[in-house]
């Protein structure tokens, strides 16, 4: 199979969808890999490294897309790439279609087979291709939140862990999944007082056992409002696989928060879990809501591409190999987890949550 790897074009997206190690495996399995020149530079990977692994370097995005039977990306195509979509192409990337009607319509119109990393799901309901990016986003959320808390950045001017004789900052994490756990662990490590809110009592018990000193609350509108009123930093990490994120933090709750408090919305790729959230970029990451600061960068792991690119290929490569070696139909038939990744095919939305989000027929 011919596999294409274009340069990512989203703002400050320095990840790339395949490493030289992944290229080497695919080439040795008999496939051809076509990498756009410069695609790996943001992740510290040169064109020569890809050539040494057996890839062909192509000059343009048109060539990387046009030669491919299977196109690997990190982030979803944006408007300037819609013209590359076609009905004999399989696209494998993070898509987050429930939050992107325009892309959903473009994929339907083009007849592209669109497979989303974030909806590949194992029998235990875990998301193996979202897991590593959730780990990174969770850890980064505290880093970027604590930076935004600096008074020079408009924040409250508090240090998460304080120092002896001063109070520690209060961090509230809404959602106790992978991203939420890593956010909580990072905040605890920096000395913050941390509360995790989740709907699952077994999960809250597990987190309390894993992280002594962690406080937990069962999720309700009342509990969220009460915790936010005392919070310095809020991390939103609520995920419903493939669906738009629920708006758990209302405008009214934010209006009652401390001036200079910071809210980081990890769920922004799926529309965000705060009322008033809108996607931002690494160039311009924050905006004000009442007297608080929202951080809503939609590709947070793109800030650490050397880590994120390698973590992503580690997770995706077995699935890429299966699709390339068997074709989509056989690969999906052999692996029910991979089959759940299909979002659009032959002009039809196959994932009910996406169809429901946009009023399309499934």
């Amino acid at each position: 199979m011919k596999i294409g790897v274009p340069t990512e074009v989203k703002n400050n997206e320095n990840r790339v969808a395949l490493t030289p190690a992944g290229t080497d495996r695919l080439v040795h399995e008999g496939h051809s890999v076509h990498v756009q020149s410069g695609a790996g530079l943001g992740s510290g990977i040169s064109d020569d490294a890809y050539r040494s692994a057996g890839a062909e370097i192509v000059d343009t995005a048109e060539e990387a897309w046009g030669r491919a039977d299977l196109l690997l990306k990190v982030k979803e195509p944006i408007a300037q790439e819609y013209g590359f979509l076609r009905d004999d192409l399989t696209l494998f990337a993070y898509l987050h279609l429930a939050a992107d009607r325009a892309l959903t319509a473009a994929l339907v119109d083009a007849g592209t087979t669109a497979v989303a990393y974030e909806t590949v799901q194992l029998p235990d309901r875990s998301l193996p291709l979202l897991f590593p990016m959730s780990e990174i986003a969770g850890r980064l959320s505290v880093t970027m939140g604590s930076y935004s808390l600096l008074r020079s950045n408009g924040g409250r001017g508090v240090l998460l862990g304080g120092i002896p004789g001063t109070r520690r900052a209060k961090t509230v994490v809404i959602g106790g999944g992978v991203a939420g756990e890593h956010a909580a662990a990072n905040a605890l490590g920096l000395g913050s007082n941390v509360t995790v809110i989740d709907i699952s009592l077994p999960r809250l018990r597990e987190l309390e056992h894993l992280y002594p000193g962690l406080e937990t609350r069962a999720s309700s509108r009342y509990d969220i409002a009460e915790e936010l009123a005392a919070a310095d930093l809020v991390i939103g990490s609520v995920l419903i696989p493939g669906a738009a994120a629920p708006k758990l933090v209302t405008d009214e709750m934010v209006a009652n928060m401390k001036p200079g408090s910071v809210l980081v919305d990890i769920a922004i790729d799926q529309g965000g879990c705060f009322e008033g959230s809108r996607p931002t970029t690494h160039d311009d990451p924050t905006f004000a809501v009442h007297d608080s600061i929202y951080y809503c960068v939609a590709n947070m792991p793109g800030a650490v591409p050397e880590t994120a690119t390698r973590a992503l290929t580690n997770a995706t490569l077995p699935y890429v190999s299966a699709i390339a070696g068997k074709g989509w139909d056989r690969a999906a038939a052999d692996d029910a987890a991979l089959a759940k990744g299909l979002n659009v095919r032959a002009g039809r939305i196959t994932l009910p949550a996406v169809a429901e989000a946009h009023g399309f027929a499934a």
Side-chain angles (χ1 to χ4, degrees):
M1 187 174 282
K2 296 177 181 178
I3 301 166
V5 182
T7 301
E8 297 293 323
V9 294
K10 195 162 188 172
N11 179 277
N12 273 289
E13 184 49 76
N14 291 301
R15 290 173 290 180
V16 63
L18 189 68
T19 61
T23 300
D24 177 76
R25 171 172 168 175
L26 293 170
V27 169
H28 278 80
E29 289 175 350
H31 310 295
S32 61
V33 177
H34 307 270
V35 178
Q36 185 179 348
S37 181
L41 293 179
S43 297
I45 303 170
S46 68
D47 288 353
D48 283 342
Y50 282 113
R51 286 192 187 95
S52 295
E56 179 182 348
I57 303 300
V58 298
D59 292 330
T60 66
E62 287 85 352
E63 290 176 283
W65 283 80
R67 295 188 186 189
D69 304 307
L70 172 61
L71 195 288
L72 306 180
K73 279 180 66 30
V74 179
K75 291 301 292 177
E76 70 280 352
I78 61 175
Q80 72 189 64
E81 298 173 299
Y82 291 176
F84 299 140
L85 300 171
R86 59 181 201 274
D87 61 7
D88 61 346
L89 178 71
T90 298
L91 171 66
F92 199 22
Y94 290 117
L95 296 176
H96 301 291
L97 294 183
D100 196 336
R101 182 182 178 86
L103 175 57
T104 303
L107 291 166
V108 168
D109 290 344
T112 301
T113 297
V115 186
Y117 295 151
E118 74 274 6
T119 62
V120 173
Q121 189 173 42
L122 296 172
D124 64 1
R125 298 180 59 80
S126 64
L127 306 170
L129 306 189
L130 191 60
F131 196 105
M133 296 305 104
S134 295
E135 291 178 301
I136 292 170
R139 297 183 187 194
L140 271 180
S141 68
V142 174
T143 300
M144 304 315 298
S146 61
Y147 180 72
S148 298
L149 275 170
L150 298 180
R151 186 62 184 152
S152 57
N153 293 323
R156 288 188 53 74
V158 295
L159 189 65
L160 283 189
I163 62 168
T166 70
R167 77 172 185 89
R168 299 180 180 189
K170 179 178 177 64
T171 300
V172 175
V173 180
I174 304 173
V178 175
E181 178 180 349
H182 282 265
N186 223 22
L188 284 168
L190 291 171
S192 181
N193 291 320
V194 181
T195 300
V196 174
I197 302 174
D198 197 89
I199 61 173
S200 170
L201 292 178
R203 178 57 173 162
L204 294 179
R205 291 189 185 101
E206 180 182 21
L207 290 172
E208 283 200 12
H209 176 73
L210 289 171
Y211 301 100
L214 178 70
E215 297 185 8
T216 59
R217 296 283 291 270
S219 183
S220 71
R221 179 185 172 89
Y222 182 92
D223 287 285
I224 292 172
E226 187 172 69
E227 288 296 317
L228 262 59
D232 299 290
L233 173 62
V234 178
I235 309 296
S237 59
V238 179
L239 175 68
I240 301 174
K247 302 292 187 184
L248 298 183
V249 173
T250 67
D251 184 74
E252 180 183 1
M253 293 175 188
V254 177
N256 291 321
M257 291 182 68
K258 299 174 185 176
S261 54
V262 173
L263 299 94
V264 179
D265 198 341
I266 298 176
I268 192 63
D269 279 320
Q270 294 291 124
C273 60
F274 306 152
E275 184 179 1
S277 284
R278 56 177 171 80
T280 60
T281 66
H282 290 287
D283 283 346
D284 188 16
T286 63
F287 58 92
V289 175
H290 298 293
D291 293 323
S292 297
I293 297 169
Y294 275 32
Y295 180 100
C296 300
V297 173
N299 60 327
M300 287 178 64
V304 287
E306 289 206 28
T307 298
T309 286
R310 287 155 179 81
L312 179 61
T313 295
N314 289 345
T316 60
L317 188 57
Y319 296 97
V320 172
S321 176
I323 297 170
K326 302 175 182 180
W328 170 254
D329 290 316
R330 176 67 183 279
D334 288 349
D335 187 340
L338 177 59
K340 289 181 180 293
L342 186 66
N343 282 211
V344 180
R345 193 173 197 208
R348 186 174 67 87
I349 297 173
T350 60
L351 191 68
V354 173
E356 181 180 350
H358 301 305
F360 283 85

